[in-house]
Amino acid sequence: MSELSNRKQQLEAFDRLLTIMDELREQCPWDKKQTIESLRHLTIEETFELSDAILENDMDEIKKELGDILLHIVFYAKIGSEKKSFDISTVIDSLCEKLIRRHPHIYSDTIADDEEAVKQNWEKIKLKEKGNTSVLGGVPKSLPALIKAMRIQEKARGVGFDWEEKNQVWEKVEEEMQEFKAEFNVSDEQEIDREKATGEFGDLLFSLINYARFIEINPEEALEKTNIKFIKRFQYLENAAKNSGKKIEDMTLAEMDVYWEEAKRR
């Protein structure tokens, strides 16, 4: 690991970045053309790339992706200054003021002895700041459904609306499982009510996410790790089949399962 810099060097590096951003905005045809709207989808992509690097625990890649996201922040601030709406200084000052407001146990006389108390204070202050009529009003509409479910549950917990014991949550999971199963446990002649079954499946997923959160497992991270694991095993299966002179689409499930089990053992 390279030697870490001191505060003076950090400020100099940030100043250098701001200077480069000014130069690119003035001289580069691509950078000159960008708007807040055109950068949006690129920022989302960079955020997911950072997420991948974190899951892979690749510190060098995390450093690079953080740099890309920092570039986007500086880029947005530069455009904001051109529109005379905000600049990087007002962005940072606004952030600092928010952090101070939302940590009254550090900067004021509020008492918060544990993490849960801090979270509850944060949600209450945030609700007051934004003027929302609902605790859930601050959950972004465009969040992926699984992450949105997590945030909804966390915010509800922040004001004390939560289960007391994990066994209560698991009982809810089992209840939802039975309700979902009942929608498909019908005779062959009876048509399944897809809309109702979809609703019950959603309830089951929500309850599973709730249980994962309650036992401090991040369900989005857990699912993504399983996705990665499946991809690696399936690609092993594909390569093994190819090396054996077989086409995967011509193989039986039993033949594929042999390679799948090999992938699991590896």
Side-chain angles (χ1 to χ4, degrees):
M1 184 180 73
S2 59
E3 184 178 349
L4 300 181
S5 57
N6 57 37
R7 179 59 62 87
K8 181 175 181 293
Q9 292 169 319
Q10 292 167 4
L11 293 174
E12 288 173 349
F14 191 60
D15 181 66
R16 183 186 180 202
L17 173 60
L18 295 179
T19 300
I20 292 173
M21 185 73 256
D22 289 343
E23 294 169 347
L24 294 179
R25 189 66 173 168
E26 291 172 6
Q27 302 173 35
C28 175
W30 186 88
D31 289 282
K32 288 167 65 175
K33 187 179 178 182
Q34 299 314 304
T35 65
I36 285 178
E37 291 76 18
S38 70
L39 290 172
R40 176 182 173 273
H41 75 281
L42 298 174
T43 307
I44 294 171
E45 182 180 332
E46 295 295 354
T47 303
F48 279 111
E49 289 179 0
L50 173 61
S51 175
D52 287 346
I54 292 171
L55 286 175
E56 292 165 8
N57 197 29
D58 186 334
M59 298 304 291
D60 189 55
E61 198 63 26
I62 289 172
K63 178 187 70 174
K64 293 176 183 177
E65 298 303 339
L66 285 173
D68 290 340
I69 290 177
L70 179 57
L71 169 61
H72 280 239
I73 292 170
V74 170
F75 211 147
Y76 286 121
K78 177 63 179 176
I79 296 172
S81 68
E82 293 168 356
K83 294 178 177 292
K84 301 189 185 310
S85 299
F86 55 85
D87 61 19
I88 194 64
S89 177
T90 56
V91 168
I92 294 172
D93 284 340
S94 176
L95 172 60
C96 291
E97 290 163 7
K98 180 172 70 174
L99 289 173
I100 291 171
R101 282 196 312 273
R102 294 191 184 178
H103 291 80
H105 54 290
I106 303 296
Y107 299 103
S108 187
D109 55 2
T110 299
I111 297 175
D113 296 326
D114 56 33
E115 178 186 0
E116 195 57 40
V118 172
K119 287 182 178 179
Q120 290 187 11
N121 279 337
W122 181 282
E123 291 299 337
K124 290 175 184 176
I125 295 168
K126 186 175 180 180
L127 186 64
K128 185 177 180 181
E129 285 177 353
K130 291 182 175 291
N132 290 328
T133 57
S134 170
V135 171
L136 305 181
V139 179
K141 295 178 181 179
S142 58
L143 275 180
L146 194 151
I147 299 175
K148 185 187 289 187
M150 291 167 54
R151 293 298 294 134
I152 288 170
Q153 294 169 7
E154 288 168 354
K155 284 184 173 293
R157 182 180 184 178
V159 292
F161 186 76
D162 201 7
W163 301 93
E164 294 179 354
E165 303 291 340
K166 68 178 182 180
N167 63 295
Q168 296 174 312
V169 192
W170 186 250
E171 286 173 3
K172 185 63 176 175
V173 171
E174 292 181 324
E175 175 188 326
E176 298 294 353
M177 176 68 82
Q178 290 304 315
E179 290 180 5
F180 174 61
K181 182 179 179 181
E183 291 304 313
F184 290 93
N185 191 22
V186 296
S187 64
D188 293 337
E189 295 80 20
Q190 186 177 350
E191 187 175 351
I192 294 171
D193 187 332
R194 295 288 174 182
E195 184 175 351
K196 190 173 180 182
T198 298
E200 295 297 349
F201 185 67
D203 291 344
L204 174 59
L205 279 179
F206 194 85
S207 64
L208 279 169
I209 291 167
N210 208 3
Y211 187 75
R213 176 189 59 81
F214 206 87
I215 60 174
E216 299 182 349
I217 290 175
N218 184 311
E220 198 278 335
E221 180 180 322
L223 181 58
E224 181 57 16
K225 286 183 175 180
T226 295
N227 289 338
I228 292 170
K229 181 171 60 178
F230 184 92
I231 290 169
K232 288 181 178 179
R233 290 177 180 176
F234 192 82
Q235 288 176 340
Y236 175 88
L237 188 162
E238 290 177 313
N239 291 330
K242 184 178 179 181
N243 293 336
S244 300
K246 301 176 182 177
K247 291 184 178 180
I248 191 169
E249 59 268 24
D250 296 331
M251 296 171 63
T252 66
L253 184 59
E255 289 174 322
M256 287 189 283
D257 197 50
V258 172
Y259 293 127
W260 184 264
E261 290 300 322
E262 283 183 13
K264 287 172 66 175
R265 288 195 294 272
R266 287 172 177 264

